[in-house]
Amino acid sequence: MDPRRLGSRRLTTLLGAAVLALSTGILAQSAQNKAVDGAAPTQPGDDADFARSVKAWTTRPDFVSPLVDHLPKVEGVPSPKDVLGHHIGEPKKLTYYADILGYYRALAAKTPRVKVTTIGRSNEGRDLVVVFIGSDESIQNLEQYRGYLGQLADPRTLSPAEAKDVIAKAKPIYHLMGGLHSAEVGPSEMLMELAYRLATEDSPIVKAIRDNVIVSITPAADPDGRDRNVDWYYHYGINETEGHPTGAFVPYWGKYVFHDDNRDINYSQVEMRSLLDWYLQWHPPIMHDLHQAQTLLYTFSGQAPQNPNLDPILYGELPMMANFEMAQMAKYGMPGVWTHGFVDMWSPGYLAFMSSNHNGMIRMYEIQGTSGANTTKLHLGGTPPNGRAATEAETPADSRPAAATGSQTPAAAGAGRGEGRGEGRGSGSGRGAADARGAAAGRGTSAGRGRGVPQSQREWYRPWPATGEFEWSIRDNTNYGETGVLTALQYTSQFAKVILENFYVKSRNSIDTGRKEAVAGYVIPSGQRDMTRVERVVNLLRMQGIEIGRADAEVKLADGTFPAGSFIVKRDQPYARLAKTLLEKQVYPDPSLRTYDDAAWTMGLMSQVDVKEIDDKKILDVAVAPVKEKEIHLAGTVRGAGSIVAVADYGSNNMITLRYRLKDLKVQAAEKEFKQGDTVFPAGSFVVTGDAGRVKEAVQALGLTGAALASAPDVPMHDVDLPRLAIYSTWGSTQDVGWVRYAFDRFGVPYDLIYKERARQGDLRAAYDVIIVPNQAGSAKRLVFDVEGRGKPIEYRRSEPFKNLGMYGESADITGGMGLEGVAEFEKFVKAGGVLVTLGAASYFPAEFGLAPGVDAARPSAQFYAPGPIVDAEILHPEHPIFYGYNRTMVPVRYASGPLLTVQTDRDPFEQSAEPPPTPESVLMRYPGGDDHVLSGLMRGANEIRNHPAIVDQPNGKGRVILFAGNPCYRWQNFGEFNMLFNTVMHFNDLGAGEAAKPATAGRP
Ligand SMILES: [Zn+2]
């Protein structure tokens, strides 16, 4: 029988049943109402011990389904208990990553239906794997199935008839991911049971899945974080009776970032990059990411605002699957399953979005979490179906500080702050942003219902909310997650051919729309001043599989003429939608809608690289040599002969790398422009003395432009000294610090990572010249006082058996922050000649604690909303060393929702004047503000930032404080701004250099 017909008939029956269940007595919660055709009720040969355990660990009879209340026992095939010693979902049991891998490998060794492949290594050296599960036949012929999906992903060589034939032979790969967010522990446990069940159970539902679908699994997407979090749980969480463990979170998940591994739009982290590489070889049409944040199970369906470049087919597919899950789980009598009203479809930077970006389908769950593996009491409030009023435990998310937002939502109360930190708290890119995100995240908003809608409230998209108070266990979490996933797989098995056909048509449509639509392609012109950033943009696009060609001759189009060697992105290619999404300006569809993450990411603006949007269809026929390499490398040049090498500062991020590679040589910076032949060396260019051979080699390797000279140029210069550099981190907000660490590591800049312990120890000036305080904590007070004390110390130290703690720093007690003692030490540091650099929200700290006495910091109004738009910033002192390499005074920057700074002037504060005071000298850069200066994305209330400083250079004693209102080192993304921070480091003791002509300010170093 044609499986499509079977599928639709089955669906009709099931939906009918669901409607019936809902209309007759909704709360068909008794176990016998759960019997369902296709599931396997407990049978002889099932594991009786499993069934007993599940019953005991499930806190309410309606929290389990007939799909997961039993488990087959198959001679010779190890169940999770056979290897781990316990069934999945046992209270107070979490599995370390090595044991998770051990289980999958043991399973694969005993059944031909499971295969484990290694796809890379994590930052800390753990194996990254993908586990495949399918019928014997599917697993035996995996390569063949991979080939079919590859053909559908790029159908240019397929005729319609051939496509039909491929679809007939192919099977969809359905990829599942657990443990991207390490505190969201349940799915990584559940997936082991799922794998065993899929390999062994012979119920009609499972058999159809096994035959028609190839399931693949990422067991824990951040394995390093998994182990650190399991350590933390066994160290602290396991003994907690209520709520979150000790009020403190393990300071690190992965090596660099927490939840931003789900915001890594440029795949900087090796775990994300490995998965992308795997994706581009296997093309799973569906990627399903399993999280924990909502009550009891939220299934993503791609609500507004939506990325308009994605195929309308996708926007139909997403709610279809979500609604099928809702209906099935309602039929099984499980309350609290809902869709819509949470995450929107705007940003393409979520990990599973790699699928939608490549014509597949992103799916996502947020399952009710637990505090580690402890059974937790949930207080949901709301009105239970019998009409009895329940306690109202919720307050609107917006009325609380964001730090509390996550931890007090009902979901996260159970999640042990897992998702509270993970999602509700936002990216930490400024508390303002985090507040906004916390609100958008915690509560559905885009249905226009306003914020603060409790999840216990019935909505059209949540017809059966969970209400009241009850216990929630990790087995409940397993039951919900596994039932949902089995249901999604059931759907996939019944609509396998439709899903494949859709995947093919979406890929084909991507090519066709590219031929028809206004934007025909993009040109990244050759001959840009800094080609290293061009190289980076090309490589970031290539990494995602986007085809790029290099024009062998000059390109003449209606849109302009471009030199030979320009990079051409044509829109008639399978991944053209992604190219457009990444390269175009984001036009936000409705300013009244909130979004879950950034509103803008335009790659050319973020990198400050010239990217031309082309309407002229002739671009599709331009002759190009395809860039075949996954990464190009544009070598630099050094002309001339001589013992001194000048290196032009065109704004390459590699300048700082060069300086550190040549750290033993004398490197000077020209304070004025000079010429050598027809090469212009702008202010900031290096003049390097000694070992010309090595210098040339380094300049070429880094893609820079140099010239060997017989003698030094006749311009004022200063030595580019390397500072003793520290990066300061709180214990409670390490993520954005991690992004700065990551950038410094990638560019080869050494630093000490210091915490409150070092600050309190004092005498900072003796050890450091520059201390950078990255964006963190959200407010000055939180930066200073950090993790709240709970009456006993919380140590973060390596010990037996907790080997994963104490990495990247150690503390005998992570609570309490630097305190006022620490503030006093920072003040001494600055007064004694140190340079303190604060980024984003960290800039509240010097302003509010008096380290930058002339600077005040305020917050925008409640109406202001700026989820990471790209805006203009105006450089007021182009001669200042911070701006070496920049050749325009108006530059695009990402707005980071840091403080609204003001600098006090000499004017009598009581004087009434209509005239704004003149901008003080210490303001180096400012935001012109207003809608006209919003370049991409959304800023609501753009007048509020008008003329507020973006960077202030404030002297204090013998030192200075450089306050960035924005974040010049945001994720691995705004490369165009990185150099403002790098220049601050390299010219730390010459930051007054541009003022040479002006009277010296007392005390400036
Ligand atoms: Zn999450």
Side-chain angles (χ1 to χ4, degrees):
M1 186 185 275
D2 180 348
R4 266 170 291 182
R5 280 178 51 213
L6 170 70
S8 55
R9 216 173 54 201
R10 179 184 290 268
L11 182 61
T12 314
T13 319
L14 296 182
L15 287 177
V19 168
L20 194 68
L22 283 170
S23 61
T24 52
I26 291 205
L27 312 166
Q29 290 175 3
S30 67
Q32 65 264 38
N33 283 357
K34 292 180 166 226
V36 60
D37 182 34
T42 308
Q43 287 173 1
D46 277 356
D47 185 338
D49 177 54
F50 175 91
R52 260 196 314 274
S53 303
V54 168
K55 201 165 180 194
W57 300 336
T58 299
T59 59
R60 261 177 32 184
D62 51 337
F63 290 163
V64 70
S65 76
L67 304 191
V68 301
D69 61 0
H70 62 277
L71 198 68
K73 215 172 165 59
V74 177
E75 189 58 37
V77 182
S79 73
K81 186 175 183 178
D82 293 333
V83 175
L84 305 174
H86 60 88
H87 295 298
I88 299 300
E90 176 166 339
K92 305 211 172 204
K93 284 271 194 281
L94 290 180
T95 312
Y96 282 99
Y97 187 68
D99 297 329
I100 292 176
L101 291 191
Y103 175 66
Y104 285 115
R105 285 177 172 146
L107 180 64
K110 295 292 181 188
T111 167
R113 295 173 175 174
V114 177
K115 186 180 159 135
V116 180
T117 55
T118 303
I119 63 165
R121 280 276 173 93
S122 73
N123 265 315
E124 293 175 9
R126 292 174 177 85
D127 276 357
L128 303 170
V129 307
V130 170
V131 181
F132 291 96
I133 306 139
S135 66
D136 300 30
E137 185 276 331
S138 296
I139 298 302
Q140 204 174 348
N141 298 310
L142 265 184
E143 277 302 315
Q144 206 175 317
Y145 288 112
R146 180 165 82 96
Y148 296 145
L149 290 174
Q151 285 179 289
L152 300 179
D154 181 2
R156 279 173 296 190
T157 57
L158 287 183
S159 70
E162 288 165 334
K164 227 175 212 170
D165 181 51
V166 172
I167 290 166
K169 290 187 286 196
K171 293 181 185 182
I173 295 180
Y174 191 113
H175 189 70
L176 291 157
M177 303 192 270
L180 179 60
H181 289 159
S182 305
E184 301 163 31
V185 292
S188 293
E189 303 287 335
M190 176 275 282
L191 288 168
M192 290 187 274
E193 181 174 301
L194 177 82
Y196 175 78
R197 187 185 302 285
L198 291 176
T200 56
E201 188 171 309
D202 282 325
S203 65
I205 287 177
V206 170
K207 203 172 168 316
I209 293 168
R210 195 162 58 231
D211 289 342
N212 301 332
V213 185
I214 297 167
V215 178
S216 60
I217 290 175
T218 293
D222 175 2
D224 302 340
R226 170 81 190 176
D227 281 353
R228 207 165 353 265
N229 202 78
V230 174
D231 267 357
W232 194 252
Y233 172 69
Y234 283 129
H235 194 338
Y236 289 112
I238 195 165
N239 298 319
E240 294 291 320
T241 47
E242 183 77 12
H244 42 75
T246 59
F249 220 70
V250 63
Y252 291 93
W253 284 352
K255 179 174 180 182
Y256 294 107
V257 299
F258 266 82
H259 51 80
D260 267 7
D261 56 5
N262 202 23
R263 310 287 189 278
D264 189 9
I265 192 169
N266 290 321
Y267 298 90
S268 65
Q269 303 301 301
V270 65
E271 297 85 3
M272 283 67 246
R273 172 72 184 264
S274 302
L275 193 64
L276 174 69
D277 289 346
W278 175 84
Y279 176 88
L280 290 172
Q281 291 170 43
W282 287 87
H283 311 285
I286 303 176
M287 286 190 106
H288 189 163
D289 197 8
L290 304 170
H291 291 256
Q292 285 178 190
Q294 303 298 312
T295 304
L296 295 169
L297 188 150
Y298 161 82
T299 170
F300 176 71
S301 53
Q303 69 178 34
Q306 298 178 327
N307 178 338
N309 295 319
L310 299 176
D311 202 295
I313 294 172
L314 173 67
Y315 290 115
E317 289 176 309
L318 288 171
M320 273 171 80
M321 290 194 74
N323 285 335
F324 183 68
E325 289 156 344
M326 271 174 66
Q328 289 288 80
M329 292 178 76
K331 187 175 59 185
Y332 301 147
M334 302 170 93
V337 181
W338 56 290
T339 184
H340 198 80
F342 180 46
V343 181
D344 58 87
M345 196 80 182
W346 184 248
S347 165
Y350 310 111
L351 186 63
F353 230 99
M354 73 172 74
S355 177
S356 291
N357 287 337
H358 295 89
N359 303 313
M361 196 194 314
I362 174 182
R363 304 208 67 231
M364 191 185 69
Y365 283 171
E366 297 283 0
I367 310 162
Q368 176 65 53
T370 50
S371 176
N374 294 358
T375 300
T376 312
K377 183 127 188 184
L378 300 185
H379 311 267
L380 299 184
T383 309
N386 63 9
R388 180 171 50 87
T391 36
E392 182 52 68
E394 290 194 76
T395 51
D398 294 23
S399 66
R400 293 190 300 265
T405 298
S407 63
Q408 291 178 20
T409 57
R417 292 172 49 126
E419 202 66 20
R421 180 69 159 265
E423 309 284 11
R425 223 170 152 178
S427 73
S429 63
R431 189 57 54 176
D435 270 337
R437 283 180 199 148
R443 315 296 151 150
T445 59
S446 69
R449 305 302 302 267
R451 286 170 277 159
V453 179
Q455 290 183 13
S456 53
Q457 186 171 306
R458 189 188 182 285
E459 299 286 339
W460 65 264
Y461 51 83
R462 188 166 43 231
W464 188 10
T467 57
E469 296 187 9
F470 51 85
E471 301 265 308
W472 183 260
S473 69
I474 189 161
R475 185 64 218 185
D476 295 331
N477 171 287
T478 301
N479 292 341
Y480 267 71
E482 193 175 350
T483 301
V485 165
L486 282 165
T487 302
L489 292 171
Q490 179 191 8
Y491 177 98
T492 306
S493 73
Q494 298 306 306
F495 288 92
K497 299 300 165 185
V498 175
I499 286 164
L500 290 165
E501 195 174 75
N502 288 356
F503 181 50
Y504 158 70
V505 174
K506 286 183 286 184
S507 305
R508 205 186 59 195
N509 286 351
S510 175
I511 301 163
D512 292 349
T513 17
R515 290 199 183 107
K516 286 180 219 141
E517 278 188 357
V519 176
Y522 295 86
V523 175
I524 308 170
S526 191
Q528 297 194 32
R529 218 166 76 111
D530 170 27
M531 287 301 283
T532 67
R533 276 176 292 162
V534 171
E535 175 187 299
R536 183 177 306 286
V537 167
V538 167
N539 288 339
L540 290 176
L541 296 171
R542 288 289 302 134
M543 184 205 292
Q544 299 216 49
I546 292 165
E547 294 171 3
I548 300 179
R550 219 165 170 188
D552 11 288
E554 189 179 71
V555 178
K556 282 197 174 150
L557 297 168
D559 308 79
T561 301
F562 306 100
S566 292
F567 293 94
I568 311 283
V569 181
K570 301 182 181 184
R571 265 208 63 204
D572 56 347
Q573 59 166 303
Y575 303 152
R577 301 175 202 276
L578 176 59
K580 182 165 184 282
T581 296
L582 294 175
L583 295 174
E584 72 185 351
K585 290 184 181 183
Q586 276 72 54
V587 180
Y588 200 76
D590 178 350
S592 72
L593 295 179
R594 285 179 169 254
T595 186
Y596 194 59
D597 199 63
D598 284 344
W601 48 83
T602 313
M603 204 183 261
L605 294 175
M606 284 283 202
S607 307
Q608 298 187 14
V609 165
D610 192 15
V611 178
K612 292 273 189 245
E613 192 168 281
I614 303 294
D615 290 341
D616 189 344
K617 296 285 171 214
K618 277 196 325 206
I619 191 176
L620 300 177
D621 302 316
V622 167
V624 295
V627 176
K628 294 215 175 87
E629 311 90 307
K630 203 143 190 209
E631 275 194 3
I632 58 160
H633 181 63
L634 306 174
T637 55
V638 182
R639 287 196 200 141
S643 60
I644 293 176
V645 179
V647 186
D649 187 352
Y650 296 147
S652 170
N653 297 145
N654 292 348
M655 291 296 280
I656 197 165
T657 308
L658 179 72
R659 178 65 193 96
Y660 276 91
R661 280 195 194 169
L662 306 177
K663 59 175 182 277
D664 52 319
L665 297 183
K666 182 179 171 69
V667 175
Q668 293 169 289
E671 294 176 2
K672 300 263 183 247
E673 173 186 302
F674 64 92
K675 278 189 175 178
Q676 175 66 28
D678 46 11
T679 308
V680 175
F681 289 81
S685 295
F686 289 170
V687 175
V688 190
T689 310
D691 211 345
R694 198 179 115 215
V695 179
K696 278 186 185 180
E697 213 172 280
V699 170
Q700 281 164 352
L702 291 168
L704 301 168
T705 304
L709 316 173
S711 61
D714 185 21
V715 285
M717 296 196 286
H718 63 254
D719 289 347
V720 183
D721 299 313
L722 295 178
R724 296 165 303 159
L725 176 65
I727 295 178
Y728 180 79
S729 180
T730 51
W731 286 109
S733 181
T734 63
Q735 172 158 281
D736 281 15
V737 181
W739 283 117
V740 174
R741 287 167 49 223
Y742 179 74
F744 279 46
D745 287 354
R746 277 286 292 262
F747 286 108
V749 181
Y751 56 88
D752 284 354
L753 178 59
I754 63 170
Y755 300 87
K756 67 179 169 90
E757 286 75 10
R758 179 65 192 84
R760 284 182 179 172
Q761 196 185 314
D763 214 1
L764 291 165
R765 185 68 189 98
Y768 300 112
D769 302 303
V770 177
I771 300 176
I772 297 173
V773 186
N775 183 52
Q776 58 195 299
S779 77
K781 229 194 266 181
R782 284 192 203 110
L783 184 83
V784 170
F785 298 106
D786 198 21
V787 181
E788 199 186 324
R790 290 280 165 126
K792 56 180 179 185
I794 301 174
E795 65 166 15
Y796 176 67
R797 270 204 287 230
R798 191 188 151 102
S799 64
E800 281 303 328
F802 306 121
K803 295 189 288 291
N804 305 292
L805 305 182
M807 289 183 82
Y808 315 112
E810 280 202 341
S811 177
D813 181 9
I814 62 172
T815 70
M818 70 166 91
L820 295 176
E821 297 164 59
V823 176
E825 293 303 333
F826 270 100
E827 185 180 31
K828 282 188 222 160
F829 167 76
V830 174
K831 288 230 151 99
V835 177
L836 177 66
V837 185
T838 55
L839 313 183
S843 291
Y844 284 110
F845 166 54
E848 294 181 354
F849 279 83
L851 301 176
V855 184
D856 294 314
R859 288 175 190 272
S861 76
Q863 287 74 44
F864 181 81
Y865 180 48
I870 303 171
V871 300
D872 273 326
E874 184 187 5
I875 293 171
L876 301 175
H877 295 278
E879 73 290 346
H880 195 288
I882 279 188
F883 304 114
Y884 282 161
Y886 291 84
N887 61 339
R888 291 174 205 160
T889 50
M890 199 70 93
V891 292
V893 298
R894 178 184 180 275
Y895 192 77
S897 293
L900 287 181
L901 299 175
T902 46
V903 178
Q904 294 156 14
T905 60
D906 296 341
R907 185 190 278 180
D908 174 358
F910 295 105
E911 185 193 319
Q912 302 281 324
S913 170
E915 288 295 302
T919 302
E921 279 293 301
S922 61
V923 178
L924 303 183
M925 187 165 90
R926 70 179 174 191
Y927 298 112
D931 292 338
D932 292 350
H933 291 282
V934 178
L935 303 174
S936 188
L938 172 70
M939 179 179 276
R940 207 157 66 202
N943 284 335
E944 291 194 28
I945 67 166
R946 193 180 288 285
N947 292 336
H948 277 285
I951 306 176
V952 177
D953 174 1
Q954 184 71 28
N956 184 1
K958 290 184 189 164
R960 63 212 306 155
V961 182
I962 311 279
L963 302 91
F964 285 81
N967 183 355
C969 196
Y970 175 70
R971 296 179 179 165
W972 181 247
Q973 209 170 345
N974 54 346
F975 306 104
E977 295 173 66
F978 279 23
N979 275 15
M980 297 180 202
L981 182 58
F982 291 166
N983 283 335
T984 306
V985 170
M986 285 193 287
H987 305 287
F988 74 99
N989 56 354
D990 293 289
L991 291 173
E995 299 163 4
K998 298 172 200 159
T1001 312
R1004 289 208 174 191

